[in-house]
Amino acid sequence: MADQVLTEVADAVRLQEGPPGVRSVLRALRRLAPASTKDLSRATGLPVPIVAALGNELRRRGLVTKERPSRLTEAGQDVVAQLGMDLSLDATCRTCDGRELVIPEVLDEAVRRLRALMESGPAADMAIDQSHCTAETKVRRVLALLTAGALPGGSLLLIGDDDLVSLAVAVVGDVLGGPIVDKVTVVDISPEILDYIQKVSAGLGTRVETVRHDLRQPLPAALHDQYDVAMTDPPYTPEGARLFLSRAVEGLRPGPAHSVFFSFGGKSPDEMLEVQREIMALGLVTNGYIRNFNEYEGSGILGGVGFFQHLLTTSSTASAPAQGEYGGPLYTGDKRTRQRAYACVACGEIVPVGTGARWTSVAALREDGCPRCGKGPFRPGRLLPAEQPAEQRPAEQQPTTAAQTPTAAPAPTPAKAPASASAPAAPATRTIGWHPPTPEARAALTLRAYPYVTRQADERDLPAIGAFEAEIARVSFGEDAIDDPARWSARLGRAMEKSKEGMIVAHAPDGGEPVGWCWVSVNQNAMTGDRYANFRSLAVSPLDNRGDVAELLLTAGLEFCLTKGITEVVGRVHVGNVPMRTVYRKFGFDPTSLSMKLFLPGTESEGTR
């Protein structure tokens, strides 16, 4: 009976890990309850959307409570008992939380300084799998180098450094009173990252060199065989792991026992087998491995964590085949195998583009022109299911994605912007951060967001809007969130009765449930009487062109502000909501304040003794 439940749940969500994956979630629930989806993801190593889908299936069978954070019901506890998992024993170190390293108090200042540097540093680029690790993780990585004996002294090569580990090494040295490494060299393709590292490190006393280089190409000859230790946090694909590790090996001095510190995100057993094969092919051996060592901002789909692996070179490393120039798939987005439909604007012809199609890229299609009329340009459509060729589907019938249930949505991009009592005081000199798009830019945005368009929201949209607001609350407030969609729908319904202005949804032209939601309100400063706009909500379903639809909604919201004569717009976003912070920065918003939160004792049991 219990084994059958495991099989049924695994089959229902098409879980690669099968029944053992369901068992691991039940075991984690038994041990951690009450537990959030993120807690369960971290405990099991399964992605957040997968854990959410499993939780939904278990709820449908009455095994998990509907209330969140989740617990096992009596029926769920019976199943756990039948499976022999009713023993609750946790041997995880409560001091280090299983990470094996604890940041000493002397480095608390380093954590604070690195947080400030992150806030003013370059934003993460999600398209190339960037997701910045926390300030605590940066310091732990430096401690790992020290604990392994790789530091102090010697030279360190960083293969990619969007995590600013070079600055962490410099800041830790500054806090401790002197450099802890002879030389740090950063190799990265981003001029923004390299310029920021140079600017900040100049005053910290540590020698930091930067080299702008595309890691698809072999390292410059001047960097070969020069370094004592290397570190990398590559794109989370087997190809990314091999490429970045191979560049690390190129830079290390010849001989065995040189260290490579390797960070990576949790994957399925089959995918991790590929990664381990790549490590072995380079002649590297694992010397240490810590799960959930790395914590990331904005990496919601992986539970915000990744593992940290200490690798050593061997006598076989030098004879491993060198990685030459690389032109294949590298980032997660590059690994998509499904084709996308493109519609010729001139004649309406539908053309599949992607792996296995006549044209593998839209650039190649543009160069050749439409196969029917020889013209273009081409409007992107939806990803195509493998069983249905694009030619069988007219452009106006490209499938659309309705608003999805929040628990199944990967890496949500909503932001909650609660109304402020008053807008911040205007600076003496204003910098205009945004201008309405030109007709050409507006046409390009419309094309990228196709087939979705915007309109004013109304009562028929309330169920979808309620689901968006519930997800926004979860992202912003975690376990304290009010995440009942019905309550949000009722609240927004009352707001609509007063005014629908500034309430905008994105949807497919043929109607259907909204796929995005934006709410802008016009407020008045109680002290000065000045009017300003407040971005209260923005959320988009997990579409293929999700970022473009978000941009379309935000543009519509700002254009609404202009029609009302508004010249100042404010918005609040949770500090951990990196995707929304990135969107704000892209549109020219500048951070002007930081909300601080403090909890005080509210009952006798919480008081001091």
Side-chain angles (χ1 to χ4, degrees), residues 181-392:
V181 65
D182 294 338
K183 178 180 70 173
V184 179
T185 298
V186 178
V187 182
D188 203 293
I189 196 172
S190 168
E192 292 81 13
I193 289 173
L194 298 178
D195 289 348
Y196 188 71
I197 290 171
Q198 281 287 0
K199 173 185 173 183
V200 175
S201 65
L204 293 175
T206 294
R207 180 184 170 194
V208 179
E209 299 176 347
T210 56
V211 179
R212 187 180 180 190
H213 181 71
D214 186 345
L215 290 166
R216 293 177 184 269
Q217 307 293 327
L219 282 187
L223 300 182
H224 284 205
D225 307 333
Q226 298 296 310
Y227 297 89
D228 300 303
V229 60
M231 180 178 286
T232 188
D233 190 344
Y236 290 168
T237 62
E239 294 83 359
R242 176 173 176 82
L243 181 64
F244 279 51
L245 286 172
S246 70
R247 302 305 181 220
V249 168
E250 287 176 16
L252 289 175
R253 300 186 192 278
H258 290 294
S259 294
V260 180
F261 292 90
F262 169 55
S263 296
F264 207 73
K267 299 287 185 179
S268 71
D270 287 346
E271 290 173 303
M272 285 311 303
L273 178 60
E274 287 188 63
V275 173
Q276 295 303 314
R277 282 174 174 160
E278 299 292 4
I279 292 172
M280 295 289 290
L282 289 167
L284 298 170
V285 64
T286 298
N287 187 57
Y289 181 100
I290 306 175
R291 281 191 66 226
N292 298 345
F293 180 92
N294 296 305
E295 290 187 285
Y296 296 93
E297 294 185 345
S299 183
I301 195 168
L302 299 176
V305 292
F307 67 74
F308 188 72
Q309 196 165 0
H310 181 193
L311 306 172
L312 294 176
T313 58
T314 66
S315 56
S316 299
T317 303
S319 60
Q323 174 78 64
E325 180 179 342
Y326 182 76
L330 183 59
Y331 301 105
T332 305
D334 299 337
K335 298 280 287 179
R336 296 192 182 107
T337 58
R338 289 166 60 191
Q339 299 172 9
R340 184 182 295 277
Y342 282 80
C344 175
V345 174
C347 71
E349 176 76 357
I350 302 299
V351 185
V353 175
T355 305
R358 177 179 172 184
W359 291 276
T360 57
S361 69
V362 70
L365 174 60
R366 290 194 193 103
E367 185 175 345
D368 291 349
C370 174
R372 176 190 288 179
C373 68
K375 300 179 182 179
F378 300 90
R379 180 186 296 117
R382 316 310 312 136
L383 287 174
L384 303 178
E387 68 276 6
Q388 186 177 6
E391 290 84 348
Q392 298 178 7

Side-chain angles (χ1 to χ4, degrees), residues 5-22 54 57:
V5 170
L6 297 182
T7 301
E8 289 175 353
V9 172
D11 289 345
V13 299
R14 300 179 182 179
L15 185 64
Q16 285 188 13
E17 290 78 3
V22 185
L54 288 170
E57 286 298 323

Side-chain angles (χ1 to χ4, degrees), residues 78 170 367 479:
D78 289 342
E367 185 175 345
E479 300 302 338

Side-chain angles (χ1 to χ4, degrees), residues 529-540:
D530 294 337
R531 296 168 72 244
Y532 67 96
N534 184 14
F535 260 91
R536 304 179 66 147
S537 300
L538 178 68
V540 181

Side-chain angles (χ1 to χ4, degrees), residues 102-135:
V102 178
I103 299 174
E105 289 184 7
V106 68
L107 293 182
D108 286 347
E109 180 187 344
V111 173
R112 289 193 294 270
R113 288 170 61 178
L114 286 166
R115 283 199 193 113
L117 291 176
M118 290 174 65
E119 190 63 34
S120 58
D125 186 346
M126 306 297 178
I128 55 175
D129 293 358
Q130 287 184 358
S131 184
H132 294 163
C133 70
T134 64

Side-chain angles (χ1 to χ4, degrees), residues 119 420 422-427 429-431 568-573 584-585 588-595:
E119 190 63 34
S420 303
S422 61
T429 302
R430 295 177 184 267
T431 300
E568 182 175 359
V569 184
V570 299
R572 291 178 62 192
V573 58
Y584 271 140
R585 291 179 71 168
F589 284 77
D590 289 322
T592 58
S593 62
L594 177 66
S595 296

